[in-house]
Amino acid sequence: MLDELKVKPGTQARIADRDPATTLGVDKKDGEKRLEHLVEQIDALQYRLYAENRRSVLLVLQGLDASGKDGVVRRVFEGVNPTGVSVTSFKAPVGVELEHDYLWRIHAALPRRGTVGVFNRSHYEDVVAVRMYEIAPPTVWRPRYEHIRRFERMLVDEGTTVLKIFLNVSREEQRTRFQERIDDATKRWKFRRDDLKVRERFDDWLAAWDDALTETSTDWAPWYVVPADRNWLKALAVAELVVDALERLDPRFPEPEDGLEGLVA
């Protein structure tokens, strides 16, 4: 499954050619059962990562509006000790953030050693959103691809595994979710009229993200495009990727002090 989702470095991401509603050949009942097991694995592996306190994992979640980033975070990290996981949501920079380079606030929010950090939106907004809203000319945002590649290389060299996931929602499913937000009083706060203006340029936004993924999927920090129309499949795929990253790290408990065997407190 994981290799199928990967944007292989040096190739075009082709997000528009990927099916947002696919089940990847997984049965829903089996997938939900597998997800429960994966969540347990994440808890156990994260505990070992925290105890080891040498390395960290950064999960970057991106996607068009209503792709389900919040829901994925809730489901995948359900039951995980909150001391070992941090979630940061990046909005448009304001105040002191505007007085620094665009990666300043990103660097400050990186996960500490021994923890998993989740970015709900990230430094990639400083390329794609800046481009789409014409906040800056191409001479400003185009060089950021190279900045980001080098930045992530540094993070990996310093012990942070960078896992980047784009949640790929279809135009029709986005419309359905927008309507649910409008109709449900408990979700209406998530919706803004401007969301519809952004939706009018759905294909343009997808193309901009395609460029970003193509330019920044590297051997050290590849992108994965996860089908996002089915919530259970989306959470399953993200959980699989998180477990895979943690298992490759294979964190170990530190050696205990000598003489503790048989000690009575």
mmCIF file with all atom_site columns, all heavy atoms in Angstrom, residues 244-257:
data_model
loop_
_atom_site.group_PDB
_atom_site.id
_atom_site.type_symbol
_atom_site.label_atom_id
_atom_site.label_alt_id
_atom_site.label_comp_id
_atom_site.label_asym_id
_atom_site.label_entity_id
_atom_site.label_seq_id
_atom_site.pdbx_PDB_ins_code
_atom_site.Cartn_x
_atom_site.Cartn_y
_atom_site.Cartn_z
_atom_site.occupancy
_atom_site.B_iso_or_equiv
_atom_site.pdbx_formal_charge
_atom_site.auth_seq_id
_atom_site.auth_comp_id
_atom_site.auth_asym_id
_atom_site.auth_atom_id
_atom_site.pdbx_PDB_model_num
ATOM 1   N N   . ASP A 1 244 ? 5.036  2.708  10.026 1.00 0.00 ? 244 ASP A N   1
ATOM 2   C CA  . ASP A 1 244 ? 6.204  2.372  9.210  1.00 0.00 ? 244 ASP A CA  1
ATOM 3   C C   . ASP A 1 244 ? 7.389  3.265  9.576  1.00 0.00 ? 244 ASP A C   1
ATOM 4   O O   . ASP A 1 244 ? 8.519  2.778  9.716  1.00 0.00 ? 244 ASP A O   1
ATOM 5   C CB  . ASP A 1 244 ? 5.854  2.533  7.729  1.00 0.00 ? 244 ASP A CB  1
ATOM 6   C CG  . ASP A 1 244 ? 7.035  2.264  6.818  1.00 0.00 ? 244 ASP A CG  1
ATOM 7   O OD1 . ASP A 1 244 ? 7.466  1.097  6.730  1.00 0.00 ? 244 ASP A OD1 1
ATOM 8   O OD2 . ASP A 1 244 ? 7.547  3.225  6.201  1.00 0.00 ? 244 ASP A OD2 1
ATOM 9   N N   . ALA A 1 245 ? 7.139  4.556  9.745  1.00 0.00 ? 245 ALA A N   1
ATOM 10  C CA  . ALA A 1 245 ? 8.219  5.483  10.101 1.00 0.00 ? 245 ALA A CA  1
ATOM 11  C C   . ALA A 1 245 ? 8.814  5.148  11.468 1.00 0.00 ? 245 ALA A C   1
ATOM 12  O O   . ALA A 1 245 ? 10.033 5.137  11.647 1.00 0.00 ? 245 ALA A O   1
ATOM 13  C CB  . ALA A 1 245 ? 7.695  6.916  10.086 1.00 0.00 ? 245 ALA A CB  1
ATOM 14  N N   . LEU A 1 246 ? 7.942  4.857  12.434 1.00 0.00 ? 246 LEU A N   1
ATOM 15  C CA  . LEU A 1 246 ? 8.418  4.543  13.788 1.00 0.00 ? 246 LEU A CA  1
ATOM 16  C C   . LEU A 1 246 ? 9.137  3.197  13.835 1.00 0.00 ? 246 LEU A C   1
ATOM 17  O O   . LEU A 1 246 ? 10.147 3.051  14.540 1.00 0.00 ? 246 LEU A O   1
ATOM 18  C CB  . LEU A 1 246 ? 7.237  4.552  14.760 1.00 0.00 ? 246 LEU A CB  1
ATOM 19  C CG  . LEU A 1 246 ? 6.664  5.926  15.099 1.00 0.00 ? 246 LEU A CG  1
ATOM 20  C CD1 . LEU A 1 246 ? 5.321  5.796  15.822 1.00 0.00 ? 246 LEU A CD1 1
ATOM 21  C CD2 . LEU A 1 246 ? 7.639  6.721  15.963 1.00 0.00 ? 246 LEU A CD2 1
ATOM 22  N N   . GLU A 1 247 ? 8.636  2.229  13.096 1.00 0.00 ? 247 GLU A N   1
ATOM 23  C CA  . GLU A 1 247 ? 9.293  0.915  13.090 1.00 0.00 ? 247 GLU A CA  1
ATOM 24  C C   . GLU A 1 247 ? 10.666 0.996  12.434 1.00 0.00 ? 247 GLU A C   1
ATOM 25  O O   . GLU A 1 247 ? 11.602 0.286  12.859 1.00 0.00 ? 247 GLU A O   1
ATOM 26  C CB  . GLU A 1 247 ? 8.420  -0.096 12.366 1.00 0.00 ? 247 GLU A CB  1
ATOM 27  C CG  . GLU A 1 247 ? 7.217  -0.563 13.179 1.00 0.00 ? 247 GLU A CG  1
ATOM 28  C CD  . GLU A 1 247 ? 6.425  -1.658 12.496 1.00 0.00 ? 247 GLU A CD  1
ATOM 29  O OE1 . GLU A 1 247 ? 6.465  -1.751 11.240 1.00 0.00 ? 247 GLU A OE1 1
ATOM 30  O OE2 . GLU A 1 247 ? 5.749  -2.420 13.207 1.00 0.00 ? 247 GLU A OE2 1
ATOM 31  N N   . ARG A 1 248 ? 10.816 1.824  11.418 1.00 0.00 ? 248 ARG A N   1
ATOM 32  C CA  . ARG A 1 248 ? 12.128 1.980  10.799 1.00 0.00 ? 248 ARG A CA  1
ATOM 33  C C   . ARG A 1 248 ? 13.122 2.624  11.771 1.00 0.00 ? 248 ARG A C   1
ATOM 34  O O   . ARG A 1 248 ? 14.317 2.334  11.721 1.00 0.00 ? 248 ARG A O   1
ATOM 35  C CB  . ARG A 1 248 ? 12.008 2.794  9.508  1.00 0.00 ? 248 ARG A CB  1
ATOM 36  C CG  . ARG A 1 248 ? 11.489 1.976  8.331  1.00 0.00 ? 248 ARG A CG  1
ATOM 37  C CD  . ARG A 1 248 ? 11.536 2.729  7.019  1.00 0.00 ? 248 ARG A CD  1
ATOM 38  N NE  . ARG A 1 248 ? 10.483 3.725  6.894  1.00 0.00 ? 248 ARG A NE  1
ATOM 39  C CZ  . ARG A 1 248 ? 10.651 5.019  6.927  1.00 0.00 ? 248 ARG A CZ  1
ATOM 40  N NH1 . ARG A 1 248 ? 11.863 5.521  7.111  1.00 0.00 ? 248 ARG A NH1 1
ATOM 41  N NH2 . ARG A 1 248 ? 9.642  5.858  6.786  1.00 0.00 ? 248 ARG A NH2 1
ATOM 42  N N   . LEU A 1 249 ? 12.624 3.487  12.639 1.00 0.00 ? 249 LEU A N   1
ATOM 43  C CA  . LEU A 1 249 ? 13.482 4.068  13.663 1.00 0.00 ? 249 LEU A CA  1
ATOM 44  C C   . LEU A 1 249 ? 13.861 3.039  14.726 1.00 0.00 ? 249 LEU A C   1
ATOM 45  O O   . LEU A 1 249 ? 14.950 3.082  15.297 1.00 0.00 ? 249 LEU A O   1
ATOM 46  C CB  . LEU A 1 249 ? 12.776 5.251  14.336 1.00 0.00 ? 249 LEU A CB  1
ATOM 47  C CG  . LEU A 1 249 ? 12.677 6.551  13.542 1.00 0.00 ? 249 LEU A CG  1
ATOM 48  C CD1 . LEU A 1 249 ? 11.876 7.582  14.323 1.00 0.00 ? 249 LEU A CD1 1
ATOM 49  C CD2 . LEU A 1 249 ? 14.061 7.096  13.222 1.00 0.00 ? 249 LEU A CD2 1
ATOM 50  N N   . ASP A 1 250 ? 12.919 2.126  14.990 1.00 0.00 ? 250 ASP A N   1
ATOM 51  C CA  . ASP A 1 250 ? 13.121 1.076  15.987 1.00 0.00 ? 250 ASP A CA  1
ATOM 52  C C   . ASP A 1 250 ? 13.680 1.634  17.301 1.00 0.00 ? 250 ASP A C   1
ATOM 53  O O   . ASP A 1 250 ? 14.766 1.249  17.746 1.00 0.00 ? 250 ASP A O   1
ATOM 54  C CB  . ASP A 1 250 ? 14.064 -0.003 15.444 1.00 0.00 ? 250 ASP A CB  1
ATOM 55  C CG  . ASP A 1 250 ? 14.104 -1.247 16.336 1.00 0.00 ? 250 ASP A CG  1
ATOM 56  O OD1 . ASP A 1 250 ? 13.136 -1.466 17.097 1.00 0.00 ? 250 ASP A OD1 1
ATOM 57  O OD2 . ASP A 1 250 ? 15.114 -1.979 16.274 1.00 0.00 ? 250 ASP A OD2 1
ATOM 58  N N   . PRO A 1 251 ? 12.950 2.551  17.948 1.00 0.00 ? 251 PRO A N   1
ATOM 59  C CA  . PRO A 1 251 ? 13.448 3.155  19.193 1.00 0.00 ? 251 PRO A CA  1
ATOM 60  C C   . PRO A 1 251 ? 13.609 2.103  20.296 1.00 0.00 ? 251 PRO A C   1
ATOM 61  O O   . PRO A 1 251 ? 12.831 1.143  20.375 1.00 0.00 ? 251 PRO A O   1
ATOM 62  C CB  . PRO A 1 251 ? 12.374 4.181  19.546 1.00 0.00 ? 251 PRO A CB  1
ATOM 63  C CG  . PRO A 1 251 ? 11.132 3.686  18.866 1.00 0.00 ? 251 PRO A CG  1
ATOM 64  C CD  . PRO A 1 251 ? 11.588 3.028  17.608 1.00 0.00 ? 251 PRO A CD  1
ATOM 65  N N   . ARG A 1 252 ? 14.590 2.284  21.122 1.00 0.00 ? 252 ARG A N   1
ATOM 66  C CA  . ARG A 1 252 ? 14.906 1.323  22.189 1.00 0.00 ? 252 ARG A CA  1
ATOM 67  C C   . ARG A 1 252 ? 14.847 2.001  23.554 1.00 0.00 ? 252 ARG A C   1
ATOM 68  O O   . ARG A 1 252 ? 15.197 3.171  23.692 1.00 0.00 ? 252 ARG A O   1
ATOM 69  C CB  . ARG A 1 252 ? 16.308 0.739  21.988 1.00 0.00 ? 252 ARG A CB  1
ATOM 70  C CG  . ARG A 1 252 ? 16.522 0.072  20.642 1.00 0.00 ? 252 ARG A CG  1
ATOM 71  C CD  . ARG A 1 252 ? 15.629 -1.136 20.444 1.00 0.00 ? 252 ARG A CD  1
ATOM 72  N NE  . ARG A 1 252 ? 15.837 -1.781 19.158 1.00 0.00 ? 252 ARG A NE  1
ATOM 73  C CZ  . ARG A 1 252 ? 16.699 -2.769 18.952 1.00 0.00 ? 252 ARG A CZ  1
ATOM 74  N NH1 . ARG A 1 252 ? 17.464 -3.205 19.967 1.00 0.00 ? 252 ARG A NH1 1
ATOM 75  N NH2 . ARG A 1 252 ? 16.819 -3.311 17.760 1.00 0.00 ? 252 ARG A NH2 1
ATOM 76  N N   . PHE A 1 253 ? 14.435 1.245  24.554 1.00 0.00 ? 253 PHE A N   1
ATOM 77  C CA  . PHE A 1 253 ? 14.454 1.755  25.926 1.00 0.00 ? 253 PHE A CA  1
ATOM 78  C C   . PHE A 1 253 ? 15.909 1.936  26.370 1.00 0.00 ? 253 PHE A C   1
ATOM 79  O O   . PHE A 1 253 ? 16.769 1.105  26.057 1.00 0.00 ? 253 PHE A O   1
ATOM 80  C CB  . PHE A 1 253 ? 13.756 0.788  26.876 1.00 0.00 ? 253 PHE A CB  1
ATOM 81  C CG  . PHE A 1 253 ? 12.268 0.713  26.693 1.00 0.00 ? 253 PHE A CG  1
ATOM 82  C CD1 . PHE A 1 253 ? 11.668 -0.462 26.274 1.00 0.00 ? 253 PHE A CD1 1
ATOM 83  C CD2 . PHE A 1 253 ? 11.465 1.813  26.954 1.00 0.00 ? 253 PHE A CD2 1
ATOM 84  C CE1 . PHE A 1 253 ? 10.297 -0.543 26.109 1.00 0.00 ? 253 PHE A CE1 1
ATOM 85  C CE2 . PHE A 1 253 ? 10.092 1.744  26.788 1.00 0.00 ? 253 PHE A CE2 1
ATOM 86  C CZ  . PHE A 1 253 ? 9.503  0.562  26.363 1.00 0.00 ? 253 PHE A CZ  1
ATOM 87  N N   . PRO A 1 254 ? 16.217 2.989  27.108 1.00 0.00 ? 254 PRO A N   1
ATOM 88  C CA  . PRO A 1 254 ? 17.577 3.158  27.634 1.00 0.00 ? 254 PRO A CA  1
ATOM 89  C C   . PRO A 1 254 ? 17.924 2.018  28.599 1.00 0.00 ? 254 PRO A C   1
ATOM 90  O O   . PRO A 1 254 ? 17.040 1.416  29.224 1.00 0.00 ? 254 PRO A O   1
ATOM 91  C CB  . PRO A 1 254 ? 17.501 4.502  28.376 1.00 0.00 ? 254 PRO A CB  1
ATOM 92  C CG  . PRO A 1 254 ? 16.290 5.198  27.826 1.00 0.00 ? 254 PRO A CG  1
ATOM 93  C CD  . PRO A 1 254 ? 15.332 4.107  27.467 1.00 0.00 ? 254 PRO A CD  1
ATOM 94  N N   . GLU A 1 255 ? 19.194 1.730  28.711 1.00 0.00 ? 255 GLU A N   1
ATOM 95  C CA  . GLU A 1 255 ? 19.638 0.713  29.661 1.00 0.00 ? 255 GLU A CA  1
ATOM 96  C C   . GLU A 1 255 ? 19.389 1.199  31.092 1.00 0.00 ? 255 GLU A C   1
ATOM 97  O O   . GLU A 1 255 ? 19.707 2.350  31.414 1.00 0.00 ? 255 GLU A O   1
ATOM 98  C CB  . GLU A 1 255 ? 21.127 0.415  29.471 1.00 0.00 ? 255 GLU A CB  1
ATOM 99  C CG  . GLU A 1 255 ? 21.463 -0.342 28.194 1.00 0.00 ? 255 GLU A CG  1
ATOM 100 C CD  . GLU A 1 255 ? 20.855 -1.733 28.198 1.00 0.00 ? 255 GLU A CD  1
ATOM 101 O OE1 . GLU A 1 255 ? 20.828 -2.383 29.258 1.00 0.00 ? 255 GLU A OE1 1
ATOM 102 O OE2 . GLU A 1 255 ? 20.383 -2.157 27.118 1.00 0.00 ? 255 GLU A OE2 1
ATOM 103 N N   . PRO A 1 256 ? 18.815 0.357  31.947 1.00 0.00 ? 256 PRO A N   1
ATOM 104 C CA  . PRO A 1 256 ? 18.559 0.774  33.336 1.00 0.00 ? 256 PRO A CA  1
ATOM 105 C C   . PRO A 1 256 ? 19.844 0.814  34.147 1.00 0.00 ? 256 PRO A C   1
ATOM 106 O O   . PRO A 1 256 ? 20.884 0.314  33.729 1.00 0.00 ? 256 PRO A O   1
ATOM 107 C CB  . PRO A 1 256 ? 17.615 -0.321 33.856 1.00 0.00 ? 256 PRO A CB  1
ATOM 108 C CG  . PRO A 1 256 ? 17.998 -1.545 33.070 1.00 0.00 ? 256 PRO A CG  1
ATOM 109 C CD  . PRO A 1 256 ? 18.363 -1.035 31.700 1.00 0.00 ? 256 PRO A CD  1
ATOM 110 N N   . GLU A 1 257 ? 19.766 1.437  35.296 1.00 0.00 ? 257 GLU A N   1
ATOM 111 C CA  . GLU A 1 257 ? 20.910 1.440  36.209 1.00 0.00 ? 257 GLU A CA  1
ATOM 112 C C   . GLU A 1 257 ? 21.248 0.016  36.614 1.00 0.00 ? 257 GLU A C   1
ATOM 113 O O   . GLU A 1 257 ? 20.379 -0.859 36.677 1.00 0.00 ? 257 GLU A O   1
ATOM 114 C CB  . GLU A 1 257 ? 20.565 2.259  37.453 1.00 0.00 ? 257 GLU A CB  1
ATOM 115 C CG  . GLU A 1 257 ? 20.389 3.729  37.239 1.00 0.00 ? 257 GLU A CG  1
ATOM 116 C CD  . GLU A 1 257 ? 20.102 4.472  38.536 1.00 0.00 ? 257 GLU A CD  1
ATOM 117 O OE1 . GLU A 1 257 ? 20.302 3.864  39.612 1.00 0.00 ? 257 GLU A OE1 1
ATOM 118 O OE2 . GLU A 1 257 ? 19.669 5.623  38.478 1.00 0.00 ? 257 GLU A OE2 1
#
